[in-house]
Amino acid sequence: MMNREFILVTGGCGYIGSHIAINLLKSGYELVVLDNFSNSSKKVIERIRKISNKTFKVIEGDISDRNLLKGIFRNYRIKGVIHLASLKSVGEAERNPISYYKNNVNGSLILFEEMEIANVKTIVFSSSATVYGQKKNHMFTEEDALEPYNVYGRTKLIIENLLKDIHNSSQDWKILILRYFNPIGAHSSGLIGDNPFDSPSNLLPFITQVAIGKRNQLLVFGDDYP
């Protein structure tokens, strides 16, 4: 397979990852998807294939598994990486900060190390708008101060700074960082969408679960909003 170029998508069977995978496949890219399925379903694999009418390689495993990553970079000619694999619950991160730093930060560090060893120096990193912190009555811009107020946001900012330092050390690296708030929506086929295993970690799945009767009510916390 070394004569074919692949994009490695970590967390590629998750909500955002599955939609990215479909668009990449429809655009003619070959994919290797790495996912540990901690918060995604293996049913998504066949749904991606059905929507895109394309095949792709799926490897079950974790970004912190160095030997697994070495095998991927050895067996596939990886052109670039789209890095979406992370734990993402703000509340859970406050309760279990060690696991979040271990998975998000240390896992990313291992991925970047193995990319460098394999001379793969193109990456898109899925960060979060939580790196901006909290501001009242203010529209965020990319120039705003980065002041995350929770563990999850701090793990994302650490990874962002790590990538900036990597780029500063070598201009060979091509790095894009994406920051966004609550992504919403589902594929027009209805086959994939935001369907978390446990309690949703963002607003829109809560709203949809109330709408279909899975939950009795939507709770809004705080009473000081404009």
Side-chain angles (χ1 to χ4, degrees):
M1 296 186 182
M2 293 303 289
N3 61 334
R4 295 154 55 192
E5 286 188 331
F6 293 80
I7 303 295
L8 172 61
V9 184
T10 68
C13 287
Y15 172 41
I16 296 175
S18 58
H19 287 82
I20 288 176
I22 288 168
N23 281 280
L24 288 171
L25 289 167
K26 285 189 171 183
S27 298
Y29 291 96
E30 302 251 24
L31 297 190
V32 176
V33 167
L34 175 63
D35 204 302
N36 65 8
F37 298 99
S38 62
N39 195 33
S40 58
S41 171
K42 292 182 181 179
K43 294 178 182 178
V44 171
I45 299 170
E46 288 306 317
R47 292 173 182 177
I48 294 173
R49 288 172 176 157
K50 182 175 181 179
I51 294 169
S52 65
N53 199 29
K54 298 287 181 66
T55 61
F56 61 100
K57 179 66 176 178
V58 180
I59 298 173
E60 183 174 359
D62 199 89
I63 56 171
S64 61
D65 187 337
R66 189 181 295 276
N67 289 330
L68 179 63
L69 291 174
K70 285 183 182 297
I72 292 172
F73 288 116
R74 181 175 59 249
N75 296 326
Y76 299 90
R77 187 181 174 191
I78 303 297
K79 181 180 181 180
V81 176
I82 299 179
H83 180 27
L84 301 144
S86 71
L87 299 176
K88 64 172 188 174
S89 169
V90 172
E92 183 183 53
E94 299 301 312
R95 298 188 297 271
N96 302 300
I98 292 176
S99 65
Y100 269 68
Y101 280 101
K102 182 178 180 180
N103 182 87
N104 294 4
V105 178
N106 188 58
S108 296
L109 179 59
I110 292 171
L111 173 64
F112 303 156
E113 285 178 329
E114 293 306 318
M115 287 178 63
E116 186 168 54
I117 292 170
N119 199 34
V120 178
K121 297 183 177 180
T122 300
I123 183 169
V124 176
F125 171 57
S126 175
S127 186
S128 169
T130 57
V131 298
Y132 292 119
Q134 287 183 312
K135 295 183 178 69
K136 288 188 175 181
N137 302 318
H138 180 73
M139 184 71 72
F140 287 96
T141 71
E142 285 193 57
E143 288 71 38
D144 279 321
L146 304 179
E147 300 171 335
Y149 63 94
N150 55 47
V151 171
Y152 171 67
R154 285 191 285 272
T155 67
K156 289 294 190 179
L157 184 56
I158 288 171
I159 300 166
E160 284 196 17
N161 288 332
L162 175 57
L163 286 170
K164 289 177 183 177
D165 288 338
I166 290 172
H167 182 263
N168 289 337
S169 72
S170 172
Q171 299 301 304
D172 292 338
W173 281 82
K174 298 176 182 178
I175 299 169
L176 181 68
I177 294 171
L178 300 178
R179 300 176 184 146
Y180 36 81
F181 292 89
N182 288 320
I184 63 172
H187 192 268
S188 57
S189 66
L191 292 175
I192 61 170
D194 197 354
N195 187 28
F197 282 167
D198 300 316
S199 179
S201 58
N202 50 338
L203 178 61
L204 265 296
F206 263 113
I207 293 174
T208 57
Q209 287 183 11
V210 172
I212 65 174
K214 188 174 181 179
R215 293 177 182 274
N216 293 327
Q217 59 185 343
L218 173 69
L219 299 178
V220 178
F221 299 96
D223 58 4
D224 60 346
Y225 302 106

